[in-house]
Structure formats: structure tokens, C-alpha cells
Amino acid sequence: MTAPRVVQLVNFPLREIVTGGQIRTDRLGRLIERLGGDRRPLCVTPRRWRAG
């Protein structure tokens, strides 16, 4: 049996974990992996245009 595949959508990068949201997202992802899931994080960020 193959591991279930899980796509984890986040709105910030997980390379450098700094904020509380990043920490919680990383812990959830690690839990998914420990439970046997094949996690693929995907960062979705809106384009942020400079004001002014």
C-alpha cells in the first residue's frame, strides 16, 4: 500500500521558519509525515505591488 499524498497549502515560505503561523504549519506537516503521509508543501503568495 502506498502512502497517502497530502498537499499542504500555505501562504508563506517554510524555508526560514520565523512566525507562529510558520511554526504551526511546519509542525502539522511533520505530523502528517510521521503518520505516513507523503507531504508536498505548496506556497501560494499573492503578488504584492509596491504602493506609491
Side-chain angles (χ1 to χ4, degrees):
M1 183 173 164
T2 61
R5 292 186 179 163
V6 179
V7 176
Q8 184 178 25
L9 297 174
V10 296
N11 62 346
F12 39 73
L14 293 175
R15 288 187 201 110
E16 296 179 22
I17 298 172
V18 178
T19 67
Q22 290 172 314
I23 292 169
R24 288 187 294 276
T25 302
D26 182 61
R27 287 182 181 167
L28 177 61
R30 290 174 191 260
L31 175 63
I32 290 168
E33 290 172 347
R34 279 198 313 266
L35 293 174
D38 180 19
R39 174 178 69 129
R40 304 294 176 173
L42 176 63
C43 180
V44 179
T45 57
R47 289 187 174 172
R48 297 182 181 172
W49 300 100
R50 290 182 62 186

